[in-house]
Amino acid sequence: MTVEPQADEAGIQTEIAVLSDLWDGLPEAEEIVRRAVDAVVARDDMTIPPDAELSVALADDAMVQRLNREYRAKDKPTNVLSFPAAHGPLLGDVVVAYETLVSEAGEEGLAPADHLTHLTIHGLLHLLGYDHETEAEAVAMEAMETSILAGLGIADPHATGRMMPDGPHARP
């Protein structure tokens, strides 16, 4: 099922495609994604291009594994992938894997909804130019995520240590 694109709070046209029935286990997923996008673009320190567009795919591990293998040469699923657009109003695509999200949430003692919020924010920050290739970049990106999540009443996912074995930083 694909939801029609909607302009979020700051004007980002966001299209959400639910590509797996597994997401029925988190029926509020589309609303969670929109709330996360709104929280990012509402920040005063965030530069969002005019007429920005975003595509979010709520997929399963098999699809994410195929994408991870094809674009990152890593033949395993990961929690989130970000695919920046080359140009134009499209920021890019964020793809989230349901099974990995639920598994990680359980391991970390997080609500799946909170973890989806974090992964959406993380993926969107990548599309806006944030990264964590160096320690300084990682610290800055984690601080941004923590601040945005706190504004949504969600605890710091980095408080118990880095939650980045192969994701949520996966990016081709």
Side-chain angles (χ1 to χ4, degrees):
M1 171 178 138
T2 302
V3 174
E4 290 299 313
Q6 295 180 14
D8 290 313
E9 186 175 289
I12 284 186
Q13 286 289 113
T14 304
E15 181 176 321
I16 302 170
V18 179
L19 304 178
S20 171
D21 291 341
L22 293 171
W23 285 94
D24 291 348
L26 191 59
E28 67 277 16
E30 294 172 46
E31 178 184 322
I32 292 164
V33 167
R34 290 193 189 285
R35 186 177 55 128
V37 170
D38 288 348
V40 171
V41 299
R43 289 182 59 98
D44 291 337
D45 59 349
M46 198 59 59
T47 302
I48 306 296
D51 302 320
E53 298 174 8
L54 171 66
S55 172
V56 178
L58 301 176
D60 59 20
D61 276 6
M63 175 179 276
V64 171
Q65 182 169 348
R66 282 192 304 274
L67 293 169
N68 206 18
R69 180 176 54 243
E70 184 175 338
Y71 293 99
R72 299 181 66 232
K74 295 185 179 192
D75 193 11
K76 59 184 179 178
T78 188
N79 51 19
V80 64
L81 292 168
S82 297
F83 297 95
H87 55 77
L90 180 63
L91 297 173
D93 304 306
V94 173
V95 185
V96 182
Y98 182 81
E99 299 100 303
T100 299
L101 174 138
V102 170
S103 174
E104 288 177 349
E107 291 169 12
E108 297 291 324
L110 303 170
D114 291 351
H115 196 36
L116 175 57
T117 301
H118 178 211
L119 296 179
T120 302
I121 290 167
H122 188 90
L124 179 52
L125 288 177
H126 273 307
L127 299 180
L128 292 171
Y130 291 85
D131 217 331
H132 45 77
E133 293 298 316
T134 68
E135 184 66 21
E137 288 174 336
V139 168
M141 190 168 181
E142 288 176 10
M144 177 77 69
E145 291 171 357
T146 299
S147 173
I148 294 167
L149 290 166
L152 294 170
I154 298 173
D156 180 2
H158 305 290
T160 58
R162 290 245 167 110
M163 215 189 89
M164 293 189 183
D166 186 45
H169 67 287
R171 180 179 176 189

